[in-house]
Amino acid sequence: MTALSIGKGIRLNTPEDMEATLRQIGATRYHNLHPFHRLLHGGKLNKGQVQAWALNRYYYQSTIPLKDAVVISRFRDRAVRMEWRHRIEDHDGDTGSEGGIERWLKLTEGLGLDSSYVESTEGILPATRFAVEAYVHFCRDRTPLEAIASSLTELFAPSIHEERIAGMLQHYDFVNPDIMSYFKRRLTQAPRDADFALDFVKKNARTPEQREAVCNALIFKTNVLWVQLDALYHAYVEGHIPPGAFVPKTS
């Protein structure tokens, strides 16, 4: 595999071949392997660095409903639209019910960040913005099959959420169970979403070429997640914060 694609020589003659390749991509490229996450979950960051992570990640979380609305717009099939619609409600919430964006703001507020500043996204890293917007553009411009396939990082999300909950509660005295509610909720939401997406691509990727496109879509998405952590590491671990970006008050 390359940084862009599965490369040559991988057999994708069956849906099972494709699923095995998808799981291999997750095992080798998911962002739980990034050094920044190892620092975060291992209690090696200071509060300002954790704030920077939560602030930047908010832009990704708050853009997911926009991405999902784009995916819905790609389908004439009403059943697919109905199935995908709950993802928007999961993040935006609904009348009388809290969504993922609100739960993420609870996290950033609990970490001491002003919610209006977080929601403005004025302090996020340029690479965060570019990566997240590239994800939306991918779902808009590539095939509907690839748009759904790009969400398959959810296959691997529950393990990282469990690791994050346990590690952050254990290592940081400024973290409590209440502000970690976003991750607890995703422990049940992500597997449901991943099951649908995996079933969809296995049924609808009918040729080796289509299966290759599905696998490459997942590689693209892992790159979207990875590059955001590259930027955080460069700015807040190595100390190269770009002009105008968030500067932690604590060291």
Side-chain angles (χ1 to χ4, degrees):
M1 295 187 189
T2 72
L4 180 66
S5 73
I6 61 171
K8 306 285 187 183
I10 295 180
R11 297 173 61 87
L12 297 173
N13 294 327
T14 67
E16 290 69 32
D17 289 342
M18 180 180 67
E19 181 176 354
T21 302
L22 291 170
R23 294 190 181 279
Q24 177 64 16
I25 292 168
T28 57
R29 295 171 180 261
Y30 194 52
H31 63 164
N32 65 314
L33 301 172
H34 195 283
F36 190 90
H37 264 172
R38 296 189 180 279
L39 295 174
L40 175 67
H41 298 167
K44 304 300 184 182
L45 300 181
N46 60 45
K47 186 175 182 179
Q49 292 167 322
V50 177
Q51 287 176 323
W53 164 74
L55 171 70
N56 278 269
R57 181 78 180 190
Y58 171 80
Y59 189 65
Y60 174 80
Q61 301 301 152
S62 63
T63 304
I64 292 298
L66 305 182
K67 180 272 299 183
D68 286 329
V70 169
V71 174
I72 288 173
S73 74
R74 306 297 308 280
F75 284 90
R76 296 294 304 176
D77 187 331
R78 185 165 65 95
V80 174
R81 296 199 306 270
M82 290 176 64
E83 169 60 35
W84 210 264
R85 191 168 61 202
H86 71 76
R87 294 169 178 249
I88 297 177
E89 295 173 359
D90 285 347
H91 284 82
D92 277 343
D94 204 347
T95 303
S97 65
E98 183 182 61
I101 294 174
E102 291 173 273
R103 286 189 285 272
W104 198 272
L105 286 170
K106 185 183 296 183
L107 169 65
T108 57
E109 183 178 349
L111 291 173
L113 294 169
D114 178 72
S115 291
S116 61
Y117 177 67
V118 174
E119 290 181 276
S120 76
T121 74
E122 289 290 330
I124 67 171
L125 299 169
T128 300
R129 195 178 305 276
F130 294 154
V132 172
E133 291 180 358
Y135 185 27
V136 177
H137 294 165
F138 183 94
C139 293
R140 181 195 67 196
D141 298 338
R142 306 300 282 264
T143 66
L145 179 65
E146 290 169 288
I148 284 190
S150 67
S151 75
L152 283 168
T153 46
E154 289 170 325
L155 285 170
F156 321 109
S159 62
I160 199 173
H161 292 327
E162 290 175 352
E163 179 184 322
R164 183 172 296 149
I165 292 169
M168 293 182 69
L169 288 175
Q170 176 184 350
H171 295 297
Y172 299 116
D173 59 7
F174 50 83
V175 172
N176 61 66
D178 185 53
I179 69 172
M180 298 295 284
S181 62
Y182 173 85
F183 307 107
K184 294 176 183 177
R185 189 70 182 93
R186 291 303 295 168
L187 290 174
T188 55
Q189 291 174 339
R192 174 201 61 194
D193 293 345
D195 287 345
F196 172 82
L198 181 60
D199 183 65
F200 182 91
V201 299
K202 289 176 72 173
K203 288 180 178 177
N204 290 278
R206 299 185 176 92
T207 68
E209 292 75 20
Q210 288 174 323
R211 295 181 191 119
E212 181 179 355
V214 165
C215 294
N216 291 342
L218 180 57
I219 288 176
F220 166 82
K221 176 61 179 305
T222 60
N223 287 340
V224 166
L225 297 172
W226 194 276
V227 74
Q228 292 178 68
L229 297 182
D230 279 347
L232 283 165
Y233 194 97
H234 185 69
Y236 296 104
V237 177
E238 296 183 340
H240 307 293
I241 301 174
F246 169 71
V247 178
K249 293 180 181 178
T250 56
S251 59

